[in-house]
Amino acid sequence: MTALPLASVSFVESTGVQIVKAIVIFAFVLVVVPLILLLERKLLGRFQARLGPNRVGPFGLLQPLADVLKLLSKERFTPRTAVPWMMAMAPAISIFTAVVTLAIIPFGDVRHNALFGASYGLYGIDVSIGILWAFAFGALAFYGLMLGGWASGSKYSFLGAMRSAAQLISYEVSLGLSLVGVVITAGSLSLTEIVNSQDHIWYVVPQFVGFCIFMVAAFAETNRPPFDLPEADAEIVAGYNTEFGGMRFGSFFMAEYINMVAIAGIATAMFLGGWHGPGPGWLDPIWVIVKMLLFVVLFIWIRATLPRLRYDQLMAFGWKVLLPLATLNALVTAIVVSA
Amino acid sequence: MLKSYLPALVFLALGAGTGAAFTALNSVLGPRRPSKVKSDPYECGLPSEVTSSFRFGISFYLIAMLFILFDIEVIFLYPVAVGLKQFGTFALVETIVFIVLLFVAFVFVWRRGALEWR
């Protein structure tokens, strides 16, 4: 009886280092998210042949800060029909699950640092469940949208919540199945081991179908256009966050962008070879960040390009195209890898 | 082994802290001017008619049930996927049988029209 081939995750740093690196990753994302927000508005502006925000600070760099200050000074209110404590919990859940997902993004391998005379792994956590951690918290994010929409006591919120619930669970199946191919090929769930096994070839090449399915499902999971039906402003005002204002709305908004960063990080590690790239070893985190930025720009580009789907099209596409395709992909990969 | 989860705890704390702070900050920093009209749920011009129990399409329930079915199958697939190379032909045949059975169920659901959005 051979031992179960779990990831070798025996390496651990000292407690202090672990805490510091978690805080550093969190702080990094907290700085990057407002910049992505600005990048999105700038790029959308350019796509639509206008300038985008350029009044607050040089090149509009302080625009996100101004937005946050505005949101902070808004009045907090809950509609008469709402359930106040649930409405308070919903944005907190959203941002909580988004932040926790960040933990598994690998920015680099374990490496020895001569300066401090110790080894560090450039990631939040590297545990044997690996990618399942992201799935677990991605699934919990559902409660934020659902509770928020349902507890608002408004029909638009309610419709938005129902839509987001059905959409998230429909595409979650395809999202899970699209990564089975990668897991079979790499033989591990740990993201750092998956990146290490992409030494010779990035999985985007042998797993191209899986990559496409993953990207489509990722757009649906993060509620990004063309899959932003839960907040389709032309039909249901603002969907699940109709009744939210101030920083509570800001939380949903920020959670969406953190989720985008997290999905970009996972896609980088699973398909684009993570930190692999030309140049010396210290460039590793830079490569990861560059590849993540590519994905973020792709997200923005597609938002500017594609119109929103109709709801029955969304459901038909998720169940009748993506799911069989993802299943076939897993099956073919299993046969090819074992044969 | 378990110690590798420690940063996860830090992330959990940071996430919960940020969430709680963002949710509560407006009560502290924002103004407080309640009014009758402001506390109505949003509606565009009409008096908002909100009842405690909404009725909505049966399709949502169907999708939820199908999700439970298929998502659990995906979860079953993962442990096999990790060790497929080591386990050899036996695991491969088992996986194929499993996926084919899953596909039969899928075709059945499709043919019965459960995937049509109504």
Coordinates of all heavy atoms in Angstrom, one line a residue, chain B residues 31-108:
Chain B
P31 N -23.5 61.2 8.3 CA -24.6 61.9 9.0 C -25.8 61.0 9.4 O -25.8 59.8 9.1 CB -25.0 62.9 8.0 CG -24.7 62.3 6.7 CD -23.5 61.4 6.9
R32 N -26.7 61.5 10.2 CA -27.9 60.7 10.6 C -29.1 61.6 10.4 O -29.5 62.4 11.3 CB -27.7 60.3 12.1 CG -28.5 59.1 12.4 CD -27.7 57.8 12.2 NE -28.5 56.6 12.4 CZ -29.1 56.0 11.3 NH1 -28.9 56.5 10.1 NH2 -29.8 55.0 11.5
R33 N -29.8 61.5 9.3 CA -31.0 62.3 9.0 C -32.1 61.4 8.5 O -32.4 61.4 7.3 CB -30.7 63.4 8.0 CG -29.8 64.5 8.6 CD -29.7 65.6 7.6 NE -28.8 65.3 6.5 CZ -27.5 65.5 6.5 NH1 -26.9 66.0 7.6 NH2 -26.8 65.2 5.5
P34 N -32.7 60.6 9.4 CA -33.7 59.7 8.9 C -35.0 60.4 8.5 O -35.3 61.5 9.0 CB -34.0 58.7 10.1 CG -33.5 59.5 11.3 CD -32.5 60.5 10.8
S35 N -35.7 59.8 7.5 CA -37.0 60.4 7.1 C -37.9 59.2 6.7 O -37.4 58.2 6.3 CB -36.8 61.4 6.1 OG -36.6 60.8 4.8
K36 N -39.2 59.5 6.6 CA -40.1 58.5 6.2 C -39.9 57.9 4.8 O -39.8 56.7 4.6 CB -41.5 59.1 6.4 CG -42.7 58.3 5.8 CD -43.2 57.3 6.8 CE -44.4 56.6 6.2 NZ -44.2 55.9 4.9
V37 N -39.7 58.9 3.9 CA -39.5 58.5 2.5 C -38.2 57.7 2.3 O -38.1 56.8 1.5 CB -39.6 59.7 1.6 CG1 -39.5 59.3 0.1 CG2 -40.9 60.5 1.8
K38 N -37.2 58.2 3.0 CA -35.9 57.6 2.8 C -35.9 56.1 3.2 O -35.1 55.3 2.6 CB -34.8 58.3 3.6 CG -33.4 58.2 3.1 CD -32.4 58.8 4.1 CE -32.3 60.2 3.8 NZ -31.3 60.8 4.8
S39 N -36.7 55.7 4.1 CA -36.7 54.3 4.6 C -37.5 53.4 3.7 O -37.6 52.2 4.0 CB -37.1 54.3 6.0 OG -38.5 54.6 6.1
D40 N -38.1 54.0 2.7 CA -38.8 53.1 1.7 C -37.8 52.3 0.9 O -36.8 52.9 0.5 CB -39.7 53.9 0.8 CG -41.1 54.2 1.5 OD1 -41.4 53.6 2.5 OD2 -41.8 55.1 1.0
P41 N -38.1 51.0 0.6 CA -37.3 50.3 -0.4 C -37.4 51.0 -1.8 O -38.4 51.6 -2.1 CB -37.8 48.9 -0.4 CG -39.2 49.0 0.2 CD -39.2 50.2 1.1
Y42 N -36.3 50.8 -2.5 CA -36.2 51.5 -3.8 C -37.3 51.1 -4.8 O -37.7 50.0 -4.9 CB -34.9 51.2 -4.5 CG -34.7 51.9 -5.8 CD1 -34.3 53.2 -5.9 CD2 -35.1 51.2 -7.0 CE1 -34.2 53.8 -7.1 CE2 -35.0 51.8 -8.2 CZ -34.6 53.1 -8.3 OH -34.5 53.7 -9.5
E43 N -37.9 52.1 -5.4 CA -38.8 51.9 -6.5 C -38.8 53.1 -7.4 O -38.6 54.2 -6.9 CB -40.3 51.6 -6.0 CG -41.3 51.4 -7.1 CD -40.9 50.2 -8.0 OE1 -41.3 49.1 -7.7 OE2 -40.3 50.5 -9.0
C44 N -39.1 52.9 -8.7 CA -38.9 54.0 -9.6 C -40.3 54.7 -9.8 O -41.0 54.4 -10.7 CB -38.3 53.6 -10.9 SG -37.8 54.9 -12.0
G45 N -40.6 55.7 -8.9 CA -41.8 56.5 -9.1 C -43.0 55.9 -8.4 O -43.8 56.7 -7.8
L46 N -43.3 54.6 -8.5 CA -44.5 54.0 -8.0 C -44.3 53.9 -6.5 O -43.2 53.9 -6.0 CB -44.7 52.6 -8.6 CG -44.5 52.5 -10.1 CD1 -44.3 51.1 -10.4 CD2 -45.8 53.1 -10.7
P47 N -45.4 53.7 -5.7 CA -45.2 53.3 -4.3 C -44.7 51.9 -4.3 O -45.2 51.1 -5.0 CB -46.7 53.4 -3.7 CG -47.6 53.4 -4.9 CD -46.8 54.0 -6.0
S48 N -43.7 51.6 -3.5 CA -43.1 50.3 -3.5 C -44.0 49.3 -2.8 O -44.4 49.5 -1.7 CB -41.7 50.3 -2.9 OG -41.8 50.8 -1.6
E49 N -44.2 48.2 -3.5 CA -45.1 47.2 -3.0 C -44.2 46.0 -2.7 O -43.9 45.2 -3.5 CB -46.1 46.8 -4.0 CG -45.6 46.9 -5.5 CD -46.5 46.3 -6.5 OE1 -47.6 46.9 -6.8 OE2 -46.2 45.2 -7.0
V50 N -43.8 45.9 -1.4 CA -43.0 44.8 -1.0 C -43.7 43.9 0.0 O -44.2 44.4 1.0 CB -41.7 45.3 -0.4 CG1 -40.8 44.1 0.1 CG2 -40.9 46.1 -1.4
T51 N -43.9 42.7 -0.3 CA -44.5 41.7 0.6 C -43.4 40.9 1.2 O -42.3 40.7 0.7 CB -45.5 40.9 -0.1 OG1 -44.9 40.3 -1.3 CG2 -46.8 41.7 -0.4
S52 N -43.7 40.2 2.3 CA -42.7 39.5 3.0 C -42.3 38.2 2.3 O -41.2 37.7 2.4 CB -43.1 39.1 4.4 OG -44.3 38.5 4.4
S53 N -43.3 37.7 1.5 CA -42.9 36.5 0.7 C -43.0 36.7 -0.7 O -44.1 37.1 -1.2 CB -43.9 35.3 1.2 OG -45.2 35.7 0.8
F54 N -41.9 36.6 -1.4 CA -41.9 36.7 -2.9 C -42.2 35.4 -3.5 O -42.0 34.3 -2.9 CB -40.5 37.1 -3.3 CG -40.2 38.5 -3.0 CD1 -39.6 38.9 -1.9 CD2 -40.5 39.5 -4.0 CE1 -39.2 40.2 -1.6 CE2 -40.1 40.8 -3.7 CZ -39.5 41.2 -2.5
R55 N -42.7 35.4 -4.7 CA -42.8 34.2 -5.5 C -41.9 34.3 -6.7 O -41.8 35.4 -7.3 CB -44.3 34.0 -6.0 CG -45.2 33.9 -4.8 CD -46.6 33.7 -5.3 NE -46.7 32.4 -6.0 CZ -47.8 31.9 -6.5 NH1 -48.9 32.6 -6.3 NH2 -47.9 30.8 -7.1
F56 N -41.2 33.3 -7.0 CA -40.2 33.4 -8.1 C -40.2 32.0 -8.8 O -40.7 31.0 -8.3 CB -38.9 33.8 -7.7 CG -38.3 33.0 -6.6 CD1 -37.4 32.0 -6.9 CD2 -38.6 33.2 -5.3 CE1 -36.8 31.2 -5.9 CE2 -38.0 32.5 -4.3 CZ -37.1 31.5 -4.6
G57 N -39.5 32.0 -10.0 CA -39.5 30.9 -10.9 C -39.0 29.6 -10.3 O -38.1 29.6 -9.5
I58 N -39.7 28.5 -10.7 CA -39.3 27.2 -10.3 C -37.9 26.8 -10.8 O -37.2 26.0 -10.2 CB -40.4 26.2 -10.7 CG1 -40.2 24.8 -10.0 CG2 -40.3 26.0 -12.2 CD1 -40.7 24.8 -8.6
S59 N -37.5 27.4 -11.9 CA -36.2 27.1 -12.5 C -35.0 27.2 -11.5 O -34.1 26.5 -11.5 CB -35.9 27.9 -13.7 OG -36.9 27.6 -14.7
F60 N -35.2 28.3 -10.6 CA -34.1 28.5 -9.6 C -33.9 27.3 -8.7 O -32.8 26.9 -8.4 CB -34.4 29.7 -8.8 CG -34.3 31.0 -9.5 CD1 -35.4 31.8 -9.9 CD2 -33.0 31.5 -9.9 CE1 -35.2 32.9 -10.6 CE2 -32.8 32.7 -10.6 CZ -34.0 33.4 -10.9
Y61 N -35.1 26.7 -8.3 CA -35.0 25.5 -7.4 C -34.3 24.3 -8.2 O -33.5 23.6 -7.6 CB -36.4 25.1 -7.0 CG -37.1 26.0 -6.0 CD1 -38.1 26.9 -6.4 CD2 -36.7 26.0 -4.7 CE1 -38.7 27.7 -5.6 CE2 -37.3 26.9 -3.8 CZ -38.3 27.8 -4.2 OH -38.9 28.6 -3.4
L62 N -34.8 24.2 -9.4 CA -34.2 23.1 -10.2 C -32.7 23.2 -10.3 O -32.0 22.2 -10.1 CB -34.9 23.1 -11.6 CG -36.1 22.2 -11.8 CD1 -36.7 22.4 -13.2 CD2 -35.8 20.8 -11.5
I63 N -32.3 24.4 -10.7 CA -30.8 24.6 -10.8 C -30.1 24.3 -9.5 O -29.0 23.7 -9.5 CB -30.6 26.1 -11.2 CG1 -31.1 26.4 -12.7 CG2 -29.1 26.4 -11.2 CD1 -30.3 25.7 -13.7
A64 N -30.7 24.7 -8.4 CA -30.0 24.5 -7.1 C -29.9 23.0 -6.9 O -28.9 22.5 -6.4 CB -30.8 25.1 -6.0
M65 N -30.9 22.2 -7.2 CA -30.9 20.7 -7.0 C -29.8 20.1 -7.9 O -29.0 19.2 -7.5 CB -32.2 20.1 -7.2 CG -33.2 20.4 -6.1 SD -34.6 19.3 -6.1 CE -35.5 19.9 -7.5
L66 N -29.8 20.5 -9.2 CA -28.8 20.0 -10.1 C -27.4 20.3 -9.6 O -26.5 19.5 -9.7 CB -29.1 20.6 -11.5 CG -30.3 20.1 -12.2 CD1 -30.4 20.8 -13.6 CD2 -30.3 18.6 -12.3
F67 N -27.3 21.5 -9.1 CA -25.9 21.9 -8.6 C -25.4 21.0 -7.5 O -24.3 20.5 -7.6 CB -26.0 23.4 -8.0 CG -24.8 23.7 -7.2 CD1 -23.6 23.9 -7.7 CD2 -25.0 23.8 -5.8 CE1 -22.5 24.2 -6.9 CE2 -23.9 24.1 -5.0 CZ -22.7 24.3 -5.5
I68 N -26.3 20.7 -6.6 CA -25.9 19.8 -5.5 C -25.4 18.4 -6.1 O -24.4 17.9 -5.7 CB -27.0 19.6 -4.5 CG1 -27.3 20.9 -3.7 CG2 -26.7 18.5 -3.5 CD1 -28.4 20.9 -2.7
L69 N -26.2 17.9 -7.0 CA -25.9 16.7 -7.7 C -24.5 16.7 -8.3 O -23.6 15.9 -8.0 CB -26.9 16.4 -8.8 CG -27.3 15.0 -9.0 CD1 -28.2 14.6 -7.9 CD2 -28.0 14.9 -10.4
F70 N -24.3 17.7 -9.2 CA -23.0 17.7 -10.0 C -21.8 18.2 -9.2 O -20.7 17.7 -9.4 CB -23.2 18.6 -11.2 CG -24.1 17.9 -12.3 CD1 -25.4 18.2 -12.4 CD2 -23.5 17.0 -13.1 CE1 -26.2 17.6 -13.3 CE2 -24.3 16.3 -14.0 CZ -25.6 16.6 -14.1
D71 N -22.1 19.1 -8.2 CA -20.9 19.6 -7.5 C -20.3 18.5 -6.6 O -19.1 18.4 -6.5 CB -21.3 20.8 -6.6 CG -20.1 21.7 -6.4 OD1 -19.3 21.9 -7.3 OD2 -20.0 22.2 -5.2
I72 N -21.2 17.7 -6.0 CA -20.7 16.6 -5.2 C -19.9 15.6 -6.1 O -18.8 15.1 -5.7 CB -21.8 15.9 -4.5 CG1 -22.3 16.8 -3.4 CG2 -21.4 14.6 -3.9 CD1 -23.4 16.3 -2.6
E73 N -20.3 15.4 -7.3 CA -19.5 14.5 -8.2 C -18.2 15.1 -8.5 O -17.2 14.4 -8.6 CB -20.3 14.4 -9.5 CG -21.8 14.1 -9.3 CD -22.2 12.7 -9.7 OE1 -21.4 11.9 -10.0 OE2 -23.5 12.5 -9.8
V74 N -18.1 16.5 -8.7 CA -16.8 17.1 -8.9 C -15.9 16.9 -7.7 O -14.7 16.6 -7.9 CB -17.0 18.6 -9.2 CG1 -15.7 19.3 -9.3 CG2 -17.8 18.8 -10.5
I75 N -16.5 17.0 -6.5 CA -15.6 16.8 -5.3 C -15.1 15.4 -5.3 O -14.0 15.2 -4.9 CB -16.5 17.2 -4.1 CG1 -16.7 18.7 -4.0 CG2 -15.8 16.7 -2.8 CD1 -15.5 19.5 -4.0
F76 N -15.9 14.4 -5.7 CA -15.5 13.0 -5.7 C -14.3 12.9 -6.7 O -13.5 12.0 -6.5 CB -16.6 12.1 -6.0 CG -17.5 11.8 -4.9 CD1 -18.9 11.7 -5.0 CD2 -17.0 11.6 -3.6 CE1 -19.7 11.4 -3.9 CE2 -17.8 11.4 -2.5 CZ -19.1 11.2 -2.7
L77 N -14.4 13.6 -7.7 CA -13.4 13.5 -8.8 C -12.0 13.9 -8.3 O -11.0 13.4 -8.8 CB -13.8 14.3 -10.0 CG -13.6 13.7 -11.4 CD1 -14.1 12.3 -11.4 CD2 -14.3 14.6 -12.4
Y78 N -11.9 14.9 -7.4 CA -10.6 15.5 -7.1 C -9.6 14.5 -6.4 O -8.5 14.5 -6.8 CB -10.8 16.8 -6.2 CG -10.8 18.0 -7.0 CD1 -12.0 18.5 -7.6 CD2 -9.6 18.7 -7.3 CE1 -11.9 19.6 -8.5 CE2 -9.6 19.8 -8.1 CZ -10.7 20.3 -8.7 OH -10.7 21.4 -9.5
P79 N -10.1 13.8 -5.4 CA -9.1 12.9 -4.8 C -8.5 11.9 -5.8 O -7.3 11.6 -5.7 CB -9.9 12.1 -3.7 CG -11.1 13.0 -3.5 CD -11.4 13.7 -4.7
V80 N -9.3 11.4 -6.7 CA -8.8 10.5 -7.7 C -7.8 11.2 -8.6 O -6.8 10.7 -9.0 CB -10.0 9.9 -8.5 CG1 -9.5 8.7 -9.4 CG2 -11.0 9.4 -7.6
A81 N -8.2 12.4 -9.0 CA -7.4 13.2 -9.9 C -6.0 13.4 -9.4 O -5.0 13.3 -10.2 CB -8.0 14.6 -10.2
V82 N -5.8 13.6 -8.1 CA -4.5 13.9 -7.5 C -3.6 12.6 -7.7 O -2.4 12.8 -8.1 CB -4.6 14.2 -6.0 CG1 -3.3 14.3 -5.4 CG2 -5.4 15.4 -5.8
G83 N -4.2 11.4 -7.5 CA -3.3 10.2 -7.5 C -3.5 9.4 -8.8 O -3.0 8.2 -8.8
L84 N -4.1 10.0 -9.8 CA -4.4 9.1 -11.0 C -3.2 8.5 -11.6 O -3.2 7.3 -12.0 CB -5.1 10.0 -12.0 CG -5.9 9.2 -13.1 CD1 -7.0 8.4 -12.5 CD2 -6.4 10.1 -14.2
K85 N -2.0 9.2 -11.6 CA -0.8 8.7 -12.2 C -0.3 7.5 -11.4 O 0.1 6.5 -12.0 CB 0.3 9.8 -12.3 CG 0.1 10.6 -13.5 CD 1.4 11.5 -13.7 CE 1.0 12.9 -14.0 NZ 2.1 13.9 -13.8
Q86 N -0.3 7.6 -10.1 CA 0.2 6.6 -9.2 C -0.7 5.3 -9.2 O -0.2 4.2 -9.2 CB 0.4 7.1 -7.8 CG 1.6 7.9 -7.5 CD 1.3 9.4 -7.7 OE1 0.4 9.7 -8.4 NE2 2.1 10.2 -7.1
F87 N -2.0 5.6 -9.2 CA -3.0 4.5 -9.1 C -3.1 3.6 -10.3 O -3.5 2.4 -10.2 CB -4.4 5.0 -8.7 CG -4.4 5.6 -7.3 CD1 -5.3 6.6 -7.0 CD2 -3.5 5.2 -6.3 CE1 -5.4 7.2 -5.8 CE2 -3.6 5.8 -5.1 CZ -4.5 6.8 -4.8
G88 N -2.7 4.1 -11.5 CA -2.7 3.3 -12.7 C -4.0 3.0 -13.3 O -5.0 3.7 -13.1
T89 N -4.0 1.8 -14.0 CA -5.2 1.5 -14.9 C -6.5 1.4 -14.1 O -7.5 1.8 -14.6 CB -4.9 0.2 -15.7 OG1 -3.5 0.2 -16.0 CG2 -5.8 0.2 -16.9
F90 N -6.4 0.7 -13.0 CA -7.6 0.5 -12.2 C -8.3 1.8 -11.9 O -9.5 1.9 -12.2 CB -7.3 -0.2 -10.9 CG -8.4 -0.3 -10.0 CD1 -9.5 -1.2 -10.3 CD2 -8.6 0.4 -8.8 CE1 -10.6 -1.4 -9.5 CE2 -9.7 0.3 -8.0 CZ -10.7 -0.6 -8.3
A91 N -7.6 2.8 -11.5 CA -8.2 4.1 -11.1 C -8.7 4.8 -12.4 O -9.8 5.4 -12.4 CB -7.2 5.0 -10.5
L92 N -8.0 4.6 -13.5 CA -8.4 5.2 -14.8 C -9.8 4.6 -15.2 O -10.7 5.4 -15.5 CB -7.4 5.0 -15.9 CG -7.8 5.5 -17.3 CD1 -7.8 7.0 -17.2 CD2 -6.9 5.0 -18.3
V93 N -9.9 3.3 -15.1 CA -11.2 2.7 -15.5 C -12.3 3.1 -14.6 O -13.4 3.5 -15.0 CB -11.0 1.1 -15.5 CG1 -12.4 0.5 -15.7 CG2 -10.0 0.7 -16.6
E94 N -12.0 3.2 -13.3 CA -13.0 3.6 -12.3 C -13.5 5.1 -12.7 O -14.6 5.4 -12.7 CB -12.4 3.6 -10.9 CG -12.2 2.2 -10.4 CD -13.5 1.8 -9.6 OE1 -13.8 2.4 -8.6 OE2 -14.1 0.8 -10.1
T95 N -12.5 5.9 -13.0 CA -12.8 7.3 -13.3 C -13.7 7.4 -14.6 O -14.7 8.1 -14.6 CB -11.5 8.1 -13.6 OG1 -10.6 7.8 -12.5 CG2 -11.8 9.6 -13.6
I96 N -13.3 6.6 -15.6 CA -14.1 6.6 -16.8 C -15.6 6.2 -16.5 O -16.5 6.8 -16.9 CB -13.5 5.7 -17.9 CG1 -12.1 6.4 -18.3 CG2 -14.4 5.6 -19.1 CD1 -11.3 5.5 -19.2
V97 N -15.7 5.1 -15.8 CA -17.0 4.6 -15.4 C -17.8 5.7 -14.7 O -19.0 6.0 -15.0 CB -16.9 3.3 -14.6 CG1 -18.3 2.9 -14.0 CG2 -16.4 2.2 -15.4
F98 N -17.2 6.3 -13.7 CA -17.8 7.4 -12.9 C -18.3 8.5 -13.8 O -19.4 8.9 -13.7 CB -16.8 7.9 -11.9 CG -17.3 8.9 -11.0 CD1 -18.2 8.5 -9.9 CD2 -17.0 10.2 -11.1 CE1 -18.7 9.5 -9.1 CE2 -17.5 11.2 -10.2 CZ -18.3 10.8 -9.2
I99 N -17.4 9.0 -14.7 CA -17.7 10.1 -15.6 C -18.8 9.7 -16.5 O -19.8 10.5 -16.8 CB -16.5 10.7 -16.3 CG1 -15.5 11.3 -15.3 CG2 -16.9 11.7 -17.3 CD1 -14.3 11.9 -15.9
V100 N -18.8 8.5 -17.1 CA -19.8 8.1 -18.0 C -21.2 8.0 -17.3 O -22.2 8.5 -17.8 CB -19.5 6.7 -18.6 CG1 -20.7 6.1 -19.3 CG2 -18.3 6.9 -19.6
L101 N -21.2 7.5 -16.1 CA -22.4 7.4 -15.3 C -23.0 8.9 -15.1 O -24.2 9.1 -15.2 CB -22.2 6.8 -14.0 CG -22.2 5.2 -14.0 CD1 -21.9 4.7 -12.6 CD2 -23.5 4.7 -14.5
L102 N -22.1 9.7 -14.7 CA -22.4 11.2 -14.5 C -23.0 11.7 -15.8 O -24.0 12.5 -15.8 CB -21.1 11.9 -14.1 CG -21.2 13.4 -13.9 CD1 -22.1 13.7 -12.7 CD2 -19.8 14.0 -13.6
F103 N -22.4 11.3 -16.9 CA -22.9 11.9 -18.2 C -24.3 11.3 -18.5 O -25.1 12.1 -19.1 CB -21.9 11.5 -19.3 CG -21.6 12.6 -20.2 CD1 -20.7 13.6 -19.8 CD2 -22.2 12.8 -21.4 CE1 -20.4 14.7 -20.6 CE2 -21.9 13.9 -22.3 CZ -21.0 14.8 -21.8
V104 N -24.5 10.1 -18.2 CA -25.9 9.5 -18.4 C -26.9 10.3 -17.7 O -27.9 10.7 -18.2 CB -25.9 8.0 -18.0 CG1 -27.3 7.5 -18.0 CG2 -25.0 7.2 -19.0
A105 N -26.6 10.6 -16.4 CA -27.5 11.4 -15.6 C -27.7 12.7 -16.2 O -28.8 13.2 -16.3 CB -26.9 11.5 -14.2
F106 N -26.6 13.3 -16.7 CA -26.7 14.6 -17.3 C -27.6 14.6 -18.5 O -28.5 15.5 -18.7 CB -25.3 15.1 -17.7 CG -25.2 16.4 -18.3 CD1 -25.5 17.6 -17.6 CD2 -24.9 16.5 -19.7 CE1 -25.4 18.8 -18.2 CE2 -24.9 17.8 -20.3 CZ -25.1 18.9 -19.5
V107 N -27.4 13.6 -19.4 CA -28.3 13.5 -20.6 C -29.7 13.3 -20.2 O -30.6 13.9 -20.8 CB -27.8 12.3 -21.5 CG1 -28.7 12.1 -22.6 CG2 -26.4 12.7 -22.1
F108 N -30.0 12.5 -19.2 CA -31.3 12.3 -18.7 C -32.0 13.6 -18.3 O -33.1 13.9 -18.7 CB -31.3 11.3 -17.6 CG -32.7 11.1 -16.9 CD1 -33.7 10.4 -17.5 CD2 -32.9 11.7 -15.7 CE1 -34.9 10.2 -16.9 CE2 -34.2 11.6 -15.1 CZ -35.2 10.8 -15.7

